[in-house]
Amino acid sequence: MNTTQTSGHIELRGLSMAFGSAQQRVQAVSDVSLHVSPGEFVSIIGPSGCGKSTLLNVVAGFTKATEGEVRLDGRAISGPGSDRGVVFQQYSLFPWMSVRRNVEFGLKMQGVPASKRETTARTLLGLAGLLAFENHYPDQLSGGMKQRVGIVRALATSPQVMLMDEPFGALDSQTRVVMQQILTNMWQRLRLSVLFITHDIEEAIFLSDRVYVMTARPGRIKAEIEIPLPRPRTAEMMSSLVFTQILHKLRNLIREESLVAMGNELDSGGLEGFAVDVGTHGVGELI
Ligand code: ADP
Ligand code: MG
């Protein structure tokens, strides 16, 4: 954690979220309290459908919680804001704009002058290894590059926090590993607070200072695990004893919840839409 950073403190207290009418009420999240300290990288993992995206959407200000409160630096969140950058699994770039124009978009909306926009965009594109592609268009880029542009675009307006919902979920495993290294390197340089959602346990350990594990729906916090690996993080750390021990612990916690989620699906009349988020490991290996 970066102790010099003073802003970007996220606090969720007693957050609950239900969807639907009284007859068809779905309790997605129940009484979740968590925090991200300024400059900290925190991940949330949990079985599919446990309410991870719901939580992130509340913090982003896209939806309002049924109960509880969300604060950013002490202020209640009441809607989206430029203090929070958001990255989803889908790339959501503007296809008719070049890479650099995509990155500059938010700054342009804020009325930042062209020369300043260009400097900011080029600096961040350089950090992401994309400067040579500034004049390319999104459909000329690979999936990993598009997602890097998406991250750079979210960073361009200097948010205090980044909210990332399975940003590498659509990428193949080799690209994912490269993206994880790029993200951790960028974070090391910029040191903003990150709330990161993933179903990949190794990804969560590799990137994070702390990991929250959620229960099956309705999602509650089941465990909170510190990741005491030193920074900067390197690929070699993934074969360290500390990494392996945490991986084992998290796999067990997730397996328990995946079994609960599976039971819920069976109780509610079938396995339609059933999916267990077990990262890169097959269900067969885990159960
Ligand atoms: P996760 O991201 O952990 O997979 P979600 O937050 O997307 O889970 O969903 C949690 C639960 O809330 C699921 O059962 C989902 O079907 C339900 N849900 C999410 N969004 C809505 C919505 N807009 N309307 C109704 N139900 C929803
Ligand atoms: Mg989700």
Side-chain angles (χ1 to χ4, degrees):
M1 195 176 85
N2 178 15
T3 46
T4 57
Q5 177 104 10
T6 53
S7 63
H9 184 206
I10 304 169
E11 283 175 288
L12 274 63
R13 288 221 194 104
L15 197 109
S16 295
M17 183 74 183
F19 293 105
S21 57
Q23 294 88 350
Q24 288 198 319
R25 205 167 163 82
V26 174
Q27 188 73 35
V29 172
S30 180
D31 194 21
V32 166
S33 296
L34 59 82
H35 74 279
V36 183
S37 296
E40 194 180 21
F41 199 119
V42 173
S43 291
I44 300 179
I45 58 174
S48 186
C50 76
K52 302 181 295 295
S53 295
T54 302
L55 269 187
L56 193 110
N57 285 334
V58 172
V59 181
F62 299 145
T63 44
K64 207 173 164 339
T66 323
E67 271 178 70
E69 54 179 25
V70 189
R71 292 182 179 272
L72 175 55
D73 294 330
R75 296 182 303 276
I77 284 171
S78 56
S82 60
D83 47 10
R84 282 149 288 153
V86 187
V87 181
F88 296 107
Q89 185 171 321
Q90 319 81 283
Y91 310 122
S92 64
L93 299 176
F94 300 122
W96 62 90
M97 287 186 196
S98 69
V99 164
R100 181 150 64 75
R101 295 268 180 256
N102 262 288
V103 174
E104 288 183 17
F105 181 77
L107 295 169
K108 196 170 178 186
M109 291 292 106
Q110 291 181 346
V112 175
S115 61
K116 174 87 171 66
R117 291 201 306 260
E118 184 175 333
T119 311
T120 305
R122 299 190 88 230
T123 303
L124 288 170
L125 285 168
L127 274 182
L130 285 169
L131 198 49
F133 299 90
E134 62 176 333
N135 296 317
H136 283 55
Y137 285 81
D139 66 4
Q140 297 174 296
L141 306 178
S142 68
M145 289 162 91
K146 279 188 232 183
Q147 197 56 307
R148 269 187 276 163
V149 178
I151 294 169
V152 166
R153 187 177 62 175
L155 287 168
T157 51
S158 306
Q160 272 108 50
V161 304
M162 282 286 268
L163 307 172
M164 308 181 86
D165 191 353
E166 309 217 20
F168 308 145
L171 305 175
D172 62 77
S173 57
Q174 286 85 355
T175 308
R176 251 183 122 103
V177 169
V178 175
M179 294 292 287
Q180 289 158 8
Q181 189 69 60
I182 291 171
L183 178 64
T184 193
N185 293 350
M186 288 183 80
W187 175 83
Q188 189 90 29
R189 290 285 292 275
L190 302 169
R191 285 298 180 107
L192 69 173
S193 314
V194 180
L195 185 58
F196 188 94
I197 287 171
T198 179
H199 66 258
D200 184 326
I201 303 172
E202 277 136 315
E203 178 169 277
I205 303 170
F206 179 71
L207 293 171
S208 311
D209 295 314
R210 261 181 322 119
V211 177
Y212 287 104
V213 182
M214 285 179 76
T215 65
R217 203 189 73 211
R220 297 185 170 86
I221 301 299
K222 181 183 174 80
E224 179 188 348
I225 313 276
E226 296 271 346
I227 314 294
L229 294 169
R231 306 269 186 186
R233 299 273 164 93
T234 59
E236 292 73 52
M237 288 177 194
M238 298 182 94
S239 40
S240 69
L241 185 62
V242 173
F243 194 101
T244 314
Q245 284 171 337
I246 299 171
L247 179 63
H248 186 69
K249 187 169 178 178
L250 285 174
R251 269 193 197 157
N252 282 337
L253 289 165
I254 293 285
R255 177 172 50 199
E256 286 167 13
E257 290 312 311
S258 298
L259 289 169
V260 173
M262 188 193 289
N264 290 345
E265 293 286 336
L266 290 169
D267 288 346
S268 62
L271 280 169
E272 199 189 343
F274 171 70
V276 184
D277 281 346
V278 287
T280 53
H281 309 282
V283 175
E285 182 196 333
L286 286 167
I287 295 177

